[in-house]
Amino acid sequence: MATPPSAPAPGLSEDAQGMAAQAALLPYALLAFGVGLPIFVWVAGHAANAAWMSVNLAAFAVGWGGFYAAVNWLKTPAGADLRRRARVHVLAGLVWSLAMASLALFAHFAGPVRETLLLLTLGGAMVCVVFTATWLPSLLIVAPAALAGPLVGLFLQPEDQDIARIALTAAALSLALALLVNRILRAQFALAAEREVLIADRAGQAEAARRLARSKSDLVSTLSDEIRNGLTGVAHILGSAAGGRAAPSRQQVAAALDAVNDLLQVLETTVDAEDAEAGRLTVETRPVDLAAVARDLVQQSRPAATAKGLDLALQMDERLADGQGRAIADPVRARQVLAALIGNAVKFTVGGRIEVRLSIQDDRVLAAVADTGPGLSEAELAAALRPFERVSRTAAGASGAGLGLPLAVRLARLMGGDLRAESTPGLGSCFTLDLPFDAAAGTRPAPEPATPAAPSAPEPTRRLRILMVETDAHAAAMLRACLEQLGHQVVQAANGERAVGLARICDLDLVVADSAEAISALRGLAGAAAETPVVGLTSGEAADAEAILAAGADALLRRPVAVPAIARAVAEAVSPRAPANDGACAA
């Protein structure tokens, strides 16, 4: 009786588990042969051809040695190859089959003990059947080969036909039982494989949960520090301005604005990083004029660089400067990555020069930002590319969440590109954004004969009367301040019902509404009021934006609002129409 096979290694196939179980049975098979061999030798001592015993013992020793060699080989790295392992298993089994055939040949000419020796040999062959039962290919090849020798020997003598038939029945029964055991074992192996897959999945889910928990913990820790520091600075500046006898100075207001902008940048980067970690971050690639983006960002960063005494230069390939070809990327994300690289260079470079270099290599466009900053060692550079980690040697006194570079790497790869970094302590760093390039995109067409230009829609430079529908008091105050900063007259409604009432009695140029229901109600009015341009406020969710547009909005404005975004949304909404500022509005 075979002992239960040892537990299979995790993730093994059914064949691998069957061979592993067969290898576990090797010592027991050898023990069975070791017990049976003295009995066979004692009976063979009464044979007519006892001198042949030495030849059979030599064959037996070869089989025994082959088995031990196979056991040792299975423990080597080469034994992990499934194909080689299968061949070794089958060949080792066939060696024993040859040994059984040799013993059957010896027993056939043994004279008076012929029948006894053949039955003992058949018993040894049945040990082979038990040994091969765990793996189906070995059972189908080795077991019949081992049984063939003694069975043929029994059927060669007419007077042994009865015993031969009984032996054949016993052999067939042993094969049938072995096949049944093999089927049960294969079912168990399949269950074990499924169990290992489930365990691996659970382990992966547990690791993902731990990683998410660490990320959330780091997020809370980072945000708490940055928000506390940022808001404390704003509170001190505004408190100083409010407590003084004179009106707040331009310097105080600018300092408060800088602190708020730094805080907003940290929050936006953190939200993007969390979206990337959760797999929610997506990009929409299209041809992008990377040269124009670089010029704009360099122009924006030059005052900060000049204030630190840094020389900020822009160099680019002539083809890019002439508008020949475009990078293939998401316009917003490409700008975000390049802005992060230039912003980091300005932030961490104490003195010297920063260069932004745009070049073309084959079908790729490279945007490199090189600086003469403190530089980073390999370990520091690796830490800088990991989320929520900052290099203490260079980041002291600088704001940030430690997410800019890791997020930039993810965004670059989402756009089909990459972000490479080179740095040397004491000399500086160079970060290179690598993006796909289309030489045919954006090529400037040949100039055409001038034709009278169609009159363009008037820009909303005049003061507009705007109805604002915002249910949140804080958001309404911010939105109203931004609209009034642009010079517009604002009437506020706290809900859609109030907005409909005001729209009936007011001569409005524009409506800014925060819900699809309010917009639908306004579009349902009679007369010219239903044609008033509408800007819909959205949180940024695709479903929310689609609902607002379906309700009749002419333009979208994403929260949180900012003055430039509001100006663009207002211009987009009123561009097909001329503003009508002739009536009065009753509040």
Side-chain angles (χ1 to χ4, degrees):
M1 178 69 69
T3 58
S6 60
L12 290 179
S13 65
E14 291 182 24
D15 284 342
Q17 292 182 73
M19 285 185 280
Q22 193 177 74
L25 290 176
L26 278 175
Y28 303 99
L30 295 176
L31 178 62
F33 282 115
V35 171
L37 183 60
I39 300 173
F40 187 89
V41 171
W42 177 75
V43 176
H46 300 83
N49 55 348
W52 290 15
M53 180 56 64
S54 57
V55 176
N56 286 278
L57 287 177
F60 216 81
V62 169
W64 213 316
F67 256 57
Y68 270 116
V71 170
N72 291 328
W73 181 85
L74 291 174
K75 298 176 182 178
T76 65
D81 188 313
L82 200 59
R83 289 181 176 272
R84 291 183 180 179
R85 191 182 183 96
R87 286 196 292 267
V88 168
H89 274 260
V90 173
L91 288 175
L94 290 177
V95 167
W96 277 114
S97 299
L98 290 175
M100 294 298 103
S102 173
L103 292 177
L105 182 63
F106 166 75
H108 180 66
F109 297 102
V113 292
R114 170 185 174 279
E115 188 177 287
T116 304
L117 289 177
L118 284 173
L119 290 175
L120 286 173
T121 305
L122 182 62
M126 289 185 177
V127 171
C128 291
V129 173
V130 173
F131 165 70
T132 58
T134 61
W135 186 42
L136 186 59
S138 183
L139 176 60
L140 296 178
I141 296 172
V142 175
L147 293 169
L151 288 175
V152 169
L154 286 170
F155 276 100
L156 286 178
Q157 292 290 346
E159 62 272 16
D160 294 337
Q161 294 301 306
D162 291 339
I163 294 178
R165 283 191 288 270
I166 294 173
L168 178 60
T169 303
L173 181 60
S174 68
L175 281 175
L177 290 174
L179 288 170
L180 180 61
V181 170
N182 179 265
R183 182 175 180 179
I184 294 172
L185 287 176
R186 282 189 289 120
Q188 293 298 318
F189 293 155
L191 290 175
E194 291 178 5
R195 177 176 174 272
E196 293 301 328
V197 170
L198 290 175
I199 290 175
D201 287 344
R202 290 284 182 87
Q205 293 172 3
E207 178 58 29
R210 284 192 292 270
R211 194 164 55 244
L212 182 61
R214 287 195 300 269
S215 175
K216 296 295 184 184
S217 176
D218 293 337
L219 172 64
V220 171
S221 175
T222 301
L223 283 182
S224 61
D225 290 341
E226 293 296 330
I227 290 174
R228 181 176 62 250
N229 295 338
L231 291 181
T232 300
V234 173
H236 286 169
I237 293 169
L238 295 180
S240 174
R245 296 180 179 179
S249 67
R250 182 180 297 274
Q251 184 179 6
Q252 288 174 317
V253 174
L257 184 60
D258 288 343
V260 170
N261 287 334
D262 287 342
L263 182 57
L264 287 175
Q265 185 176 7
V266 169
L267 291 173
E268 289 175 0
T269 303
T270 305
V271 170
D272 283 342
E274 282 301 294
D275 287 343
E277 182 69 24
R280 296 190 300 266
L281 195 62
T282 59
V283 297
E284 296 181 5
T285 57
R286 61 173 68 96
V288 177
D289 188 353
L290 203 60
V293 173
R295 289 192 194 99
D296 188 25
L297 291 174
V298 168
Q299 189 67 25
Q300 291 180 13
S301 303
R302 184 160 277 124
T306 302
K308 295 182 67 175
L310 302 174
D311 182 15
L312 179 58
L314 174 62
Q315 303 174 5
M316 66 177 67
D317 189 286
E318 291 182 0
R319 290 171 288 179
L320 293 173
D322 294 339
Q324 300 177 18
R326 292 286 188 269
I328 305 300
D330 184 302
V332 175
R333 298 306 184 181
R335 183 184 183 91
Q336 181 178 352
V337 172
L338 202 53
L341 298 181
I342 297 174
N344 281 350
V346 174
K347 182 191 298 184
F348 297 114
T349 302
V350 178
R353 179 179 176 84
I354 299 172
E355 289 187 1
V356 181
R357 300 190 289 261
L358 270 64
S359 60
I360 299 173
Q361 290 186 5
D362 299 327
D363 60 345
R364 314 291 292 183
V365 59
L366 308 181
V369 179
D371 61 61
T372 57
L376 301 171
S377 65
E378 290 187 7
E380 290 173 333
L381 186 58
L385 294 174
R386 290 194 293 268
F388 299 106
E389 291 196 27
R390 305 180 68 196
V391 180
S392 57
R393 181 175 64 86
T394 61
S399 62
L403 290 170
L405 283 179
L407 179 60
V409 172
R410 288 201 176 198
L411 290 174
R413 291 173 180 170
L414 281 174
M415 293 185 290
D418 199 4
L419 183 63
R420 299 190 295 272
E422 300 174 355
S423 189
T424 303
L427 296 180
S429 305
C430 180
F431 293 87
T432 303
L433 174 63
D434 180 344
L435 292 171
F437 179 72
D438 186 353
T443 303
R444 293 176 179 172
E448 298 179 357
T451 56
S456 59
E459 294 291 332
T461 55
R462 298 174 59 187
R463 189 181 188 190
L464 302 179
R465 282 184 293 276
I466 299 176
L467 172 62
M468 181 183 71
V469 188
E470 175 61 81
T471 55
D472 183 85
H474 178 67
M478 291 178 58
L479 180 58
R480 181 166 193 151
C482 292
L483 288 170
E484 291 178 345
Q485 183 178 341
L486 291 171
H488 303 307
Q489 179 184 358
V490 181
V491 179
Q492 182 177 349
N495 52 57
E497 182 180 355
R498 175 62 174 160
V500 171
L502 289 173
R504 286 197 179 102
I505 61 176
C506 291
D507 187 4
L508 300 171
D509 299 316
L510 181 70
V511 177
V512 180
D514 65 346
S515 69
E517 292 77 10
I519 297 173
S520 297
L522 291 168
R523 289 302 188 208
L525 293 173
E531 303 298 323
T532 305
V534 176
V535 174
L537 291 168
T538 174
S539 60
E541 297 292 336
D544 187 27
E546 291 175 1
I548 288 176
L549 290 174
D554 299 291
L556 292 175
L557 178 60
R558 180 177 177 177
R559 296 187 180 93
V561 298
V563 173
I566 293 175
R568 287 193 296 270
V570 170
E572 181 182 348
V574 303
S575 59
R577 319 163 196 268
N581 286 330
D582 299 325
C585 179

